[in-house]
Amino acid sequence: PGELKIMHALDETYTKHPFYGSRRLRFALRDNYDIAICREHTQRLMRILGIEAIYPKKNTSIPTSGHRIYPYLLRNLAIIRPNQVWSTDITYIRLENSFCYLTVILDWFSRYVLSWELSETMETAFCARALKSALAKAIPEIHNSDQGSQFTSADYTGILETSAIQISMDGRGRCLDNIFTERLWRSVKYEDIYLKHYRTIQEAYEGLGNYFPFYNEERRHQALGYQTPKTIYLS
């Protein structure tokens, strides 16, 4: 099968089982999609998708040269109000004959999506655009991300430092550090991406432009006492 078909299958499997590493993903592809590839091939595609298993393990990641890594500030921190902690992440979005990436800025307390952007590449610029858009609405106390090169770059951290926002970064592969964005990705994909089968990035822009207002303003969350993120965020 073509690379794109394999990547789409990997994305579906990982979204369903984000604790799967390359070995389990490889066997799941074989058993569920009749796709036989070696572990090295699986790992290479995982890097393109920007995914890794979310289970506790030793941090063996190598930060991008020259990029400062900040400590994780959320351990044992009670999240009790909107704009106390924001987080960000990037996920793979499948298209008919290609793919793109989605990033969001999410308020942890309310699960409210403050901003989002799409890009054909995992560049810093589209992450910075999402951050600037969110900061036009409010200023958080803490901003949390992983150690990806987009979020450790001076272009991104400089925006946070200019607004005197505390910078928190979790270790790669650390379970629960960014669990709210992982849950958001599941919702976005199962409730929109996998149902709509967008052909182009423009179609994805238009479709997600309808989905996120629904997610914020209409979709009731069990964890929020069946209230909407917007209701909690504005409370």
Side-chain angles (χ1 to χ4, degrees):
E3 292 277 271
L4 193 61
K5 179 180 177 181
I6 300 173
M7 290 167 67
H8 288 353
L10 264 177
D11 172 59
E12 283 192 22
T13 304
Y14 178 81
T15 300
K16 185 180 294 184
H17 306 293
F19 47 88
Y20 275 15
S22 59
R23 291 185 181 89
R24 284 185 172 180
L25 285 171
R26 178 190 171 206
F27 288 124
L29 290 179
R30 183 196 65 186
D31 296 343
N32 300 328
Y33 297 89
D34 197 28
I35 293 174
I37 59 175
C38 67
R39 188 182 178 204
E40 290 73 18
H41 192 175
T42 306
Q43 291 172 327
R44 180 175 65 80
L45 294 181
M46 288 174 69
R47 287 192 291 271
I48 294 174
L49 268 65
I51 62 175
E52 64 176 340
I54 53 169
Y55 57 81
K57 62 185 177 182
K58 183 178 179 181
N59 183 7
T60 56
S61 62
I62 302 175
T64 301
S65 178
H67 287 198
R68 177 181 173 185
I69 302 301
Y70 292 76
Y72 184 64
L73 304 179
L74 308 184
R75 188 175 294 106
N76 301 321
L77 178 68
I79 311 299
I80 59 174
R81 57 187 173 274
N83 298 322
Q84 181 184 2
V85 176
W86 288 1
S87 66
T88 190
D89 201 358
I90 300 171
T91 196
Y92 170 95
I93 297 296
R94 72 185 191 190
L95 304 172
E96 186 175 64
N97 296 309
S98 60
F99 61 91
C100 62
Y101 297 100
L102 167 67
T103 190
V104 301
I105 301 293
L106 182 74
D107 177 67
W108 266 31
F109 180 74
S110 64
R111 318 295 201 271
Y112 185 77
V113 176
L114 290 115
S115 64
W116 60 277
E117 288 283 346
L118 291 177
S119 174
E120 294 179 339
T121 61
M122 282 203 292
E123 58 182 358
T124 299
F126 89 116
C127 299
R129 287 197 302 272
L131 178 59
K132 290 177 181 177
S133 178
L135 291 175
K137 302 174 183 176
I139 304 293
E141 298 169 32
I142 300 173
H143 174 285
N144 187 71
S145 72
D146 64 23
Q147 296 179 18
S149 61
Q150 301 84 0
F151 307 124
T152 59
S153 71
D155 289 342
Y156 194 91
T157 57
I159 298 170
L160 298 169
E161 291 170 343
T162 298
S163 297
I165 299 165
Q166 297 181 71
I167 302 173
S168 171
M169 294 182 179
D170 46 61
R172 293 186 62 192
R174 283 177 47 118
C175 182
L176 304 182
D177 279 359
N178 221 0
I179 192 66
F180 295 136
T181 44
E182 292 292 341
R183 290 173 180 169
L184 172 64
W185 297 150
R186 282 180 60 90
S187 298
V188 170
K189 292 182 180 183
Y190 280 114
E191 297 172 9
D192 193 81
I193 300 299
Y194 296 162
L195 297 177
K196 302 295 180 59
H197 303 289
Y198 296 122
R199 293 175 298 172
T200 65
I201 191 171
Q202 183 58 40
E203 282 192 3
Y205 258 116
E206 293 171 1
L208 290 171
N210 292 322
Y211 177 78
F212 282 117
F214 160 77
Y215 177 91
N216 279 336
E217 301 169 19
E218 298 181 46
R219 188 184 186 278
R220 297 180 181 273
H221 293 234
Q222 182 177 0
L224 300 177
Y226 293 100
Q227 299 185 79
T228 66
K230 183 176 181 180
T231 297
I232 299 298
Y233 183 73
L234 296 179
S235 62

